[in-house]
Amino acid sequence: MRLRHFYVKVGLFGLLLLFCILFGVSLASSGMDRIQGPQPSSKASQEPAVKTPTGNVAQVKTSPTPSPKADAAAKANTIVKPQAEKKAEPVADHDNSLNHVGNKLGDFLQIASHHGIKLFVSLFDAILGKG
């Protein structure tokens, strides 16, 4: 009877652990989507990507060119906008300080986890006598 309760507790703990892992992965992926934009799915990655010309000038044609005579009219209707005209919005000072605090907190957590793992491994080495 007690063995059955043990397996029920282990099963419930396993389900709780599975839920926590999947929830963490979900939070991490939604956070990455917010920061870097949505990532392409596996179907989208299999399709060939449409390449856009890279340069500092964007051309927008306002009318199609069905014949060579209309070519001169099409050149007149072509609008050329340099990319340099776009102004970036200034970032508020509190955003920079918040980013700085977040970076320092991330560095601290990385150092703490590194030393925590080293401590955990050294405890097992001491117990098993390999150190």
Side-chain angles (χ1 to χ4, degrees):
M1 186 73 171
R2 291 190 132 196
L3 191 60
R4 182 175 153 201
H5 290 289
F6 173 74
Y7 286 125
V8 169
K9 287 180 182 179
V10 168
L12 289 176
F13 180 74
L15 287 175
L16 179 67
L17 185 65
L18 181 67
F19 171 76
C20 290
I21 290 171
L22 293 177
F23 185 67
V25 168
S26 173
L27 283 177
S29 64
S30 66
M32 290 302 293
D33 285 347
R34 273 186 29 212
I35 293 170
Q36 295 181 349
Q39 300 297 319
S41 64
S42 61
K43 276 187 175 179
S45 65
Q46 291 173 356
E47 296 175 4
V50 177
K51 293 185 179 180
T52 57
T54 56
N56 292 336
V57 178
Q59 295 183 354
V60 178
K61 292 187 177 183
T62 57
S63 66
T65 57
S67 66
K69 293 180 181 178
D71 192 31
K75 285 183 181 178
N77 289 336
T78 302
I79 301 171
V80 178
K81 294 182 182 180
Q83 296 278 342
E85 289 181 12
K86 294 181 180 180
K87 295 181 181 178
E89 294 181 16
V91 179
D93 289 336
H94 71 279
D95 287 343
N96 288 335
S97 62
L98 186 62
N99 289 342
H100 182 72
V101 170
N103 288 340
K104 290 298 180 182
L105 181 63
D107 291 342
F108 170 73
L109 289 174
Q110 186 177 17
I111 292 169
S113 65
H114 174 73
H115 289 295
I117 290 170
K118 283 179 71 173
L119 176 67
F120 190 72
V121 169
S122 67
L123 287 175
F124 272 108
D125 283 345
I127 290 171
L128 297 175
K130 291 183 181 179

